[in-house]
């Protein structure tokens, strides 16, 4: 059996290795147009910033190492330019010699990946403008930085690559501005959770221009001017486009393969395309969202590796299926960790789901053990069934551990209420006897059983201020004096029984505290005395983070690069 694979990296390289493990006699050829067949995409920004110092560490396998171990013919600098399904051949160009030849196949696997989205804007080919997707891109940026010693950079895009690159360029002492058309970074998060990311990157000296549209670029002496719609341009020494990726599927389109959303390759759960004996995996394929069941593009390394293995199984006569992509991810943002799994509120709303959420701010380990730090968790679930839909966590130590537990719970079909029953490992340096994941389950359990009702940050401003409701802050006077939501009156929870006469009966009571725990206790107390009580989801800490971001976005200081030089 002759297997031709177009593209290496995650999907293609993992498929090639799996095919060899299953079939020692298969003839496997991989064509990769770049010079690297298996490299660590996610590590590229850290090489630019100097965290990874040896460029060889970016390369997971070389053609020589792959041949030595697997006897797979890895040909770099070879570009497949056409597929001929009727002949079962591909046309290949050797990019070093320009030789063109045809290669036959019995089975063909496409792993072309995705290319950086490059909008058709004036000046997009400016000399000091870069994209970051391949090792070659990384080396070009690193060499430019070492040669030109740039002092400033504009990053167009605030996703994973934009944030990681911003951190690494700041580590080099550069002035960095992120320009983003949406009004938040990291669109996998909901706006309220992204606000904490905004605060962190601003604290680290990164300037944010959210809600700004790039109109084009102009070269200037020693730099690039980034043109913005209805705003002053930004001048910087370099620009990096990191506004997302687009499936690289021209080959598939020209060969007549069925295409899906955004031009992605349509595959079934066996990773088979619409043309017999042609498979496709990775960032170029349309997948099924594991939570909603709808078609999606989720370009992540984990799914690509799994798809490569599944395609290899089926190429070799097995029967493996891909269950869908859940979108689990984690990213380091300076000293902060940000993670998500499943869907967010925007996706739940678009899918027409009847959903609810809990927001909590637990510590990463037992409070009496030194060094604990707060994380903020949001867990989404379906109202009727309590099915887990998604989770987002922003914090420090322990975030990755909790998101993986929640990702597993979603995958296995657990309910949000069932999180309370998970038997999770506990020791004071690592967790609490009631783990944050358990706490989320307790909160959902209370909501489901009607023991508590809640309200959220975006409802606070609309609460009546005419005396028809009671707005109560259950924190200590010291906490209250350091900041509180407008018109909320302070009665500490520990004084509530003695001061209950100060709370008018017959009026709804909306209670807030620092994290949501004391306000919950206050609500349980008041409800047993006949009050209609609502607990604030997330606590004042969360409310303050979101409302302060709105102030910061409206009064953002100039970044120091806004006027042309």
């Amino acid at each position: 059996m002759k297997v031709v694979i177009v593209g290496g990296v995650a999907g293609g390289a993992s498929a090639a290795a799996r095919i060899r493990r299953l079939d020692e006699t298969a003839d496997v050829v991989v064509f990769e147009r770049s010079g690297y067949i298996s490299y660590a995409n996610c590590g590229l920004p850290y090489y630019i910033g100097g965290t990874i110092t040896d460029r060889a560490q970016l390369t997971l396998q070389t053609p020589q190492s792959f041949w030595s171990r697997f006897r797979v013919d890895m040909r770099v600098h070879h570009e497949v330019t056409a597929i001929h399904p009727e002949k079962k051949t591909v046309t290949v160009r050797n990019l070093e010699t320009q030789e063109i030849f045809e290669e036959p196949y019995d089975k063909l696997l496409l792993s072309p990946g995705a290319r950086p989205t490059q909008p058709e804007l004036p000046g997009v080919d400016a000399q000091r403008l870069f994209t970051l997707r391949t090792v070659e891109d990384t080396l070009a940026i690193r060499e430019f930085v070492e040669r030109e010693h740039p002092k400033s950079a504009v990053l167009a895009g605030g996703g994973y690559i934009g944030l990681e690159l911003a951190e690494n360029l700041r580590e080099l002492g550069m002035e960095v501005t992120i320009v983003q058309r949406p009004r938040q970074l990291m669109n996998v998060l909901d706006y309220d959770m992204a606000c904490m990311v905004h605060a962190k990157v601003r604290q680290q000296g990164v300037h944010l221009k959210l809600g700004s549209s790039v109109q084009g670029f102009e070269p200037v002496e020693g730099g690039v001017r980034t043109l913005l719609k209805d705003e002053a341009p930004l001048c910087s020494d370099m620009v990096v486009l990191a506004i997302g990726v687009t499936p690289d599927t021209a080959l598939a389109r020209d060969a007549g393969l069925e295409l899906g959303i955004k031009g992605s390759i349509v595959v079934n759960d066996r990773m088979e395309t619409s043309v017999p004996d042609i498979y496709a995996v990775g960032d170029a394929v349309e997948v099924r969202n594991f939570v909603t069941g709808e078609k999606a593009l989720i370009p992540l390394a984990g799914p690509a590796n799994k798809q490569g293995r599944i395609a290899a199984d089926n190429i070799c006569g097995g029967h493996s299926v891909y269950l869908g992509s859940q979108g689990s991810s984690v990213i380091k943002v300076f000293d902060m960790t940000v993670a998500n799994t499943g869907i967010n509120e925007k996706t739940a709303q678009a899918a027409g789901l009847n959903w609810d959420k809990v927001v909590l701010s637990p510590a990463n380990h037992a409070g009496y053990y030194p060094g604990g730090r707060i994380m903020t968790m949001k867990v989404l679930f379906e109202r009727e069934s309590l099915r887990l839909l998604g989770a987002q966590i922003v914090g420090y130590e322990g975030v990755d551990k909790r998101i993986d537990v929640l990702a597993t719970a979603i995958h296995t079909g657990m309910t949000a209420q069932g999180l309370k029953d998970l038997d999770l490992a506990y020791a004071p340096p690592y967790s609490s006897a009631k783990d944050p994941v358990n706490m989320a389950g307790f909160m959902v359990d209370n909501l489901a059983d009607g023991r508590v009702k809640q309200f959220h940050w975006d409802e606070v401003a609309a609460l009546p201020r005419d005396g028809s409701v009671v707005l109560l802050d259950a924190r200590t006077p010291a906490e209250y004096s350091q900041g509180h939501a407008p018109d909320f009156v302070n009665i500490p929870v520990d004084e509530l029984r003695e001061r209950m006469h100060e709370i008018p009966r017959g009026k709804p009571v909306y209670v807030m505290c620092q994290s949501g725990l004391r306000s919950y206790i206050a609500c349980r107390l008041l409800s047993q005395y006949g009050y209609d009580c609502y607990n604030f989801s997330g606590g004042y800490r969360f409310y303050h983070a979101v409302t302060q971001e709105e102030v910061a976005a409206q009064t953002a200081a100039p970044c120091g690069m806004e006027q042309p030089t």
Side-chain angles (χ1 to χ4, degrees), residues 36-266:
Y36 301 85
I37 54 97
S38 182
Y39 55 88
N41 288 76
C42 300
L44 301 182
Y46 297 99
Y47 178 70
I48 293 170
T51 301
I52 298 172
T53 56
D54 183 0
R55 61 186 280 181
Q57 291 179 310
L58 296 175
T59 306
L60 305 178
Q61 292 278 0
T62 65
Q64 294 75 25
S65 67
F66 232 96
W67 176 258
S68 297
R69 178 158 297 178
F70 298 112
R71 292 301 188 268
V72 168
D73 184 4
M74 290 280 188
R75 304 188 200 177
V76 296
H77 297 135
H78 281 70
E79 181 177 16
V80 174
T81 59
I83 302 168
H84 311 288
E86 71 286 351
K87 297 189 295 181
K88 299 188 82 168
T89 65
V90 295
T91 300
V92 187
R93 175 184 285 112
N94 183 324
L95 298 177
E96 295 178 352
T97 66
Q98 300 309 310
E99 174 197 5
I100 297 175
F101 59 93
E102 284 200 2
E103 189 81 14
Y105 67 84
D106 296 309
K107 304 286 185 181
L108 176 65
L109 174 63
L110 303 180
S111 179
R115 63 184 186 279
T117 303
Q118 278 193 275
E120 295 182 5
L121 295 173
V124 76
D125 56 350
Q127 253 189 346
R128 290 170 173 253
L129 193 147
F130 302 89
T131 58
L132 180 55
R133 182 68 177 174
T134 66
V135 173
E136 286 88 348
D137 296 336
T138 307
L139 299 179
I141 296 174
R142 173 75 176 257
E143 289 165 6
F144 174 82
V145 168
E146 292 178 340
R147 183 180 69 250
E148 301 292 336
H149 305 290
K151 303 297 183 187
S152 59
V154 166
L155 309 181
Y160 297 111
I161 292 294
L163 280 171
E164 290 176 340
L165 190 55
E167 175 182 346
N168 280 277
L169 295 182
R170 283 297 294 154
E171 292 290 332
L172 294 174
M174 294 175 62
E175 197 79 6
V176 177
T177 298
I178 297 176
V179 182
Q180 171 97 331
R181 182 181 297 170
R183 296 190 176 275
Q184 69 168 80
L185 302 174
M186 294 192 68
N187 63 8
V188 296
L189 300 180
D190 290 315
Y191 170 76
D192 49 12
M193 298 295 285
C195 287
M196 289 172 281
V197 181
H198 299 170
K200 171 58 67 174
V201 297
R202 286 195 180 103
Q203 179 190 26
Q204 297 295 326
V206 176
H207 307 290
L208 299 181
K209 292 194 70 66
L210 305 176
S212 297
S213 295
V214 175
Q215 297 289 286
F217 306 93
E218 289 179 352
V220 294
E221 186 175 351
V224 181
R225 182 185 286 118
T226 301
L227 308 177
L228 305 179
K229 183 179 180 180
D230 302 325
E231 295 183 73
L234 301 171
C235 279
S236 60
D237 297 330
M238 63 183 293
V239 172
V240 180
L241 285 180
I243 57 178
V245 294
T246 302
D248 194 355
T249 56
L251 264 179
R253 180 197 64 215
D254 294 345
L257 276 65
E258 182 184 354
L259 301 184
I261 55 177
K262 295 186 178 179
S264 57
I265 303 171
V266 172

Side-chain angles (χ1 to χ4, degrees), residues 481-496:
S481 67
Q482 293 174 2
H484 55 270
D487 303 310
F488 275 67
V489 176
N490 182 219
I491 302 179
V493 65
D494 293 339
E495 301 176 13
L496 197 53

Side-chain angles (χ1 to χ4, degrees), residues 159-384:
Y160 297 111
I161 292 294
L163 280 171
E164 290 176 340
L165 190 55
E167 175 182 346
N168 280 277
L169 295 182
R170 283 297 294 154
E171 292 290 332
L172 294 174
M174 294 175 62
E175 197 79 6
V176 177
T177 298
I178 297 176
V179 182
Q180 171 97 331
R181 182 181 297 170
R183 296 190 176 275
Q184 69 168 80
L185 302 174
M186 294 192 68
N187 63 8
V188 296
L189 300 180
D190 290 315
Y191 170 76
D192 49 12
M193 298 295 285
C195 287
M196 289 172 281
V197 181
H198 299 170
K200 171 58 67 174
V201 297
R202 286 195 180 103
Q203 179 190 26
Q204 297 295 326
V206 176
H207 307 290
L208 299 181
K209 292 194 70 66
L210 305 176
S212 297
S213 295
V214 175
Q215 297 289 286
F217 306 93
E218 289 179 352
V220 294
E221 186 175 351
V224 181
R225 182 185 286 118
T226 301
L227 308 177
L228 305 179
K229 183 179 180 180
D230 302 325
E231 295 183 73
L234 301 171
C235 279
S236 60
D237 297 330
M238 63 183 293
V239 172
V240 180
L241 285 180
I243 57 178
V245 294
T246 302
D248 194 355
T249 56
L251 264 179
R253 180 197 64 215
D254 294 345
L257 276 65
E258 182 184 354
L259 301 184
I261 55 177
K262 295 186 178 179
S264 57
I265 303 171
V266 172
V267 293
N268 61 18
D269 60 3
R270 288 169 48 86
M271 309 313 298
E272 295 169 321
T273 71
S274 60
V275 175
D277 296 322
I278 300 181
Y279 297 74
V281 300
D283 294 354
V285 304
E286 177 184 275
V287 298
R288 182 180 70 87
N289 185 300
F290 182 82
V291 176
T292 67
E294 297 183 347
K295 298 172 181 177
L297 283 178
I298 304 179
L300 293 169
N305 274 281
K306 295 180 186 72
Q307 292 161 13
R309 177 187 175 95
I310 289 165
D313 286 352
N314 295 322
I315 286 170
C316 293
H319 182 72
S320 293
V321 297
Y322 186 63
L323 300 178
S325 293
Q326 202 169 300
S328 302
S329 69
V330 63
I331 182 176
K332 175 181 177 292
V333 182
F334 295 94
D335 62 336
M336 179 180 272
T337 302
V338 182
N340 74 285
T341 186
I343 63 174
N344 57 22
E345 292 187 62
K346 297 186 290 285
T347 305
Q349 185 171 357
L353 297 173
N354 185 15
W355 51 273
D356 203 349
K357 62 190 173 186
V358 293
V359 180
L360 59 158
S361 299
N364 65 301
H365 62 58
Y368 60 84
Y369 188 86
R373 304 191 74 176
I374 296 296
M375 66 178 72
T376 300
M377 299 173 59
K378 175 190 275 191
V379 177
L380 271 65
F381 57 95
E382 207 165 24
R383 274 198 171 94
E384 295 82 7

